[in-house]
Amino acid sequence: MSHSRKAVMLPLATHKPLTTLALTAGAAALSLFGAVAPAGAAATGASGQAAPATVRSGYVDGRVVSSLPLTIRAAATTNSAALGSYPPGAIVHLSCKVNGQTVDGNPRWYKLYDRTGWLAARYVANLGTVPWC
């Protein structure tokens, strides 16, 4: 007995799920690894309106995750002067990071972008990659 295989041509419409899958996978990869728009370019969503920027010029957003107000310090240590505070859930603009006093197992401190001061990284969830100072 001999078995022969025939090439079967499927209609183009049959390939649509594969194309959709490939486009969806590509979009997921871009969102996972981040797409960078040219400086000064505003990203637009499907509605044509500006989408929230994920890449900022000079700073990275962070969210205060402490249950109490987070104290802004003059230096990367809890022994330095208090300059104010942010409430839980506040969005903050982070310029860069350094190693400072360890707070609850975390030695990182974030320098604020839009005002003088430092925040203990233990209580801030960075929403992007914060560069070293």
Side-chain angles (χ1 to χ4, degrees):
M1 288 191 157
S2 70
H3 294 284
S4 64
R5 292 187 177 180
K6 291 184 182 179
V8 178
M9 296 297 293
L10 298 174
L12 185 58
T14 306
H15 298 289
K16 185 175 179 184
L18 293 178
T19 303
T20 302
L21 176 63
L23 290 173
T24 303
L30 283 176
S31 67
L32 178 64
F33 296 112
V36 178
T44 57
S47 67
Q49 295 182 356
T54 55
V55 176
R56 306 251 195 268
S57 177
Y59 68 89
V60 174
D61 284 336
R63 180 183 313 277
V64 175
V65 294
S66 60
S67 59
L68 299 172
L70 180 58
T71 302
I72 302 164
R73 297 289 181 176
T77 173
T78 59
N79 298 324
S80 66
L83 304 176
S85 65
Y86 285 108
I91 298 297
V92 295
H93 302 308
L94 310 171
S95 176
C96 58
K97 65 185 172 188
V98 298
N99 283 328
Q101 177 189 8
T102 299
V103 176
D104 200 19
N106 188 334
R108 306 280 192 274
W109 285 74
Y110 294 130
K111 182 178 182 184
L112 292 169
Y113 175 78
D114 51 357
R115 67 183 289 178
T116 300
W118 296 84
L119 296 175
R122 166 60 183 92
Y123 298 107
V124 178
N126 55 319
L127 304 177
T129 302
V130 180
W132 290 95
C133 294

